[in-house]
Amino acid sequence: MKGKVMAASFFLIVVLMGYTFWDNQRITIAKQDVIIEDLPKELEGFSIVQITDLHEKEFGKNQKRLINAINSIPYDAIVFTGDMMKNNSKNAVPFYTLIEGIENKQHALFVSGNTDPKSYRTSSGNLAKSEFIKNMENKRVRLLDSTYTVKRGNFHVQFVNFEWSLKTENKSKINENFLSKNKNYPKKETSDLIIGLNHFPLVDSHIDALLRDPSVTFRYYDLIMAGHYHGGQFRIPFFGALFVPEAWYEKSGLFPPQDRVKGLWEYKHIKQYVSAGLGSNGPIPFLNFRLFDPPEINVLTFKNGKTE
């Protein structure tokens, strides 16, 4: 009997390992409608593809499978919300290969994550873009270091680097650079759709703190898009994520609220969408895989209407 139990356990482990390997290599396309009240008719159906948390992962030779998946989707803009690289890595080839193969880069934007090289460096007291960013922009993906506008007829979709746009009394050089370029920051009455891009999600307590802080100007957004959580990376069927890297939670992200791990939610009239991303990361190399958490790219489509 004991031998049968051991054999069955071994079989289940082998099956789980095989499934996990297959699951980590596939690409899912997560589609989400974002309902905006009084959205202009001309912006109905405006769509954004989100790519995040690649962490140098490769999907086929020269990223062929990932490139084909992206190129199969019609969209108006594509955004990269950080962590294309691994910690302290200089291997940008998986990211560069990916963006070289993407066909529609008319409106392609990037905001950095915590494992990416710095976007700016200081040289002789001057602020300059890093080589990582220069090479990326040579491949037609733009660093969102200021606002960026997509125009449809007489209507405007405005993209904003959320973190850099926070107006604080203690400005960094990047904040100053952003604000100097955006003295006339978009307001709802002048922009028809305002989208904030950020690598880090904003949990409820963080939003509350920003709204209470008199030194911070928290401006209007129709939607904030982020990544970073990897959907939890390790998910348990019928339960969800065990952990997300989030210092704003009391247990530092252990057993997080499941409706705040990935997908779309709304808090204090602020809509936010968080992608589970493509890759994996962590301090322990042999745990750098995803469990019951397939890689995803995201397609967000804006539609007019009222929320339930």
Side-chain angles (χ1 to χ4, degrees):
M1 183 66 179
K2 185 177 180 181
K4 290 182 178 180
V5 171
M6 291 181 64
S9 299
F10 178 77
F11 175 76
L12 289 175
I13 290 171
V14 171
V15 170
L16 178 61
M17 290 176 64
Y19 172 82
T20 301
F21 177 81
W22 170 80
D23 199 38
N24 275 248
Q25 304 308 311
R26 67 189 182 113
I27 302 165
T28 60
I29 299 176
K31 297 181 179 181
Q32 176 68 57
D33 290 342
V34 181
I35 307 301
I36 303 294
E37 189 174 348
D38 298 323
L39 183 73
K41 185 177 180 181
E42 286 79 359
L43 297 182
E44 180 87 18
F46 187 91
S47 63
I48 302 171
V49 166
Q50 181 183 9
I51 308 296
T52 195
D53 295 277
L54 181 67
H55 289 295
E56 300 177 24
K57 185 173 177 61
E58 298 184 52
F59 292 87
K61 185 177 180 180
N62 296 322
Q63 299 284 26
K64 183 177 180 180
R65 290 192 295 112
L66 182 53
I67 289 169
N68 287 344
I70 295 170
N71 287 341
S72 71
I73 304 167
Y75 56 85
D76 297 286
I78 183 168
V79 300
F80 300 84
T81 51
D83 278 9
M84 299 297 111
M85 308 275 279
K86 294 181 179 179
N87 283 314
N88 303 315
S89 172
K90 296 183 179 179
N91 179 24
V93 173
F95 177 45
Y96 290 163
T97 301
L98 169 62
I99 59 179
E100 284 174 347
I102 294 174
E103 295 170 354
N104 180 3
K105 290 182 284 190
Q106 183 179 4
H107 305 295
L109 305 170
F110 171 85
V111 294
S112 64
N114 54 294
T115 66
D116 295 316
K118 298 295 184 183
S119 297
Y120 281 89
R121 58 181 175 82
T122 303
S123 178
S124 302
N126 297 318
L127 204 61
K129 290 179 180 177
S130 67
E131 289 302 312
F132 171 73
I133 295 299
K134 288 179 181 177
N135 290 334
M136 179 191 74
E137 293 196 326
N138 285 339
K139 302 176 194 306
R140 297 172 50 216
V141 174
R142 174 186 179 131
L143 172 67
L144 186 60
D145 62 350
S146 61
T147 60
Y148 180 87
T149 302
V150 178
K151 192 173 181 181
R152 263 195 177 187
N154 294 321
F155 297 90
H156 304 81
V157 179
Q158 195 94 30
F159 291 90
V160 180
N161 185 313
F162 174 82
E163 185 174 353
W164 291 0
S165 71
L166 291 175
K167 184 178 180 181
T168 64
E169 292 177 353
N170 299 315
K171 305 183 191 74
S172 67
K173 287 189 175 182
I174 290 178
N175 288 130
E176 290 175 348
N177 182 55
F178 179 96
L179 293 168
S180 68
K181 293 181 179 180
N182 296 280
K183 293 179 180 178
N184 297 318
Y185 187 88
K187 298 179 181 179
K188 184 58 180 174
E189 58 265 27
T190 58
S191 295
D192 304 292
L193 197 58
I194 303 177
I195 301 165
L197 302 185
N198 202 41
H199 178 64
F200 302 99
L202 297 173
V203 302
D204 299 355
S205 58
H206 191 183
I207 292 174
D208 289 338
L210 290 172
L211 293 174
R212 288 194 305 264
D213 190 340
S215 70
V216 172
T217 302
F218 194 110
R219 298 176 173 91
Y220 181 93
Y221 292 92
D222 288 294
L223 179 70
I224 295 173
M225 299 174 63
H228 187 58
Y229 286 169
H230 302 171
Q233 193 161 308
F234 298 130
R235 297 180 62 87
I236 304 301
F238 309 110
F239 175 79
L242 298 175
F243 173 80
V244 294
E246 182 51 72
W248 281 90
Y249 286 135
E250 289 184 2
K251 298 179 181 179
S252 298
L254 186 64
F255 303 120
Q258 296 303 312
D259 61 349
R260 295 293 194 267
V261 172
K262 65 175 182 175
L264 180 70
W265 66 80
E266 184 172 343
Y267 178 70
K268 291 192 173 178
H269 307 291
I270 299 168
K271 289 185 175 68
Q272 188 169 183
Y273 185 84
V274 175
S275 168
L278 290 161
S280 57
N281 195 40
I284 306 175
F286 71 86
L287 291 179
N288 283 345
F289 63 91
R290 302 165 72 104
L291 181 64
F292 299 112
D293 182 32
E296 69 178 31
I297 59 180
N298 312 85
V299 185
L300 280 68
T301 304
F302 291 88
K303 293 188 176 181
N304 184 24
K306 294 184 178 181
T307 55
E308 296 293 333

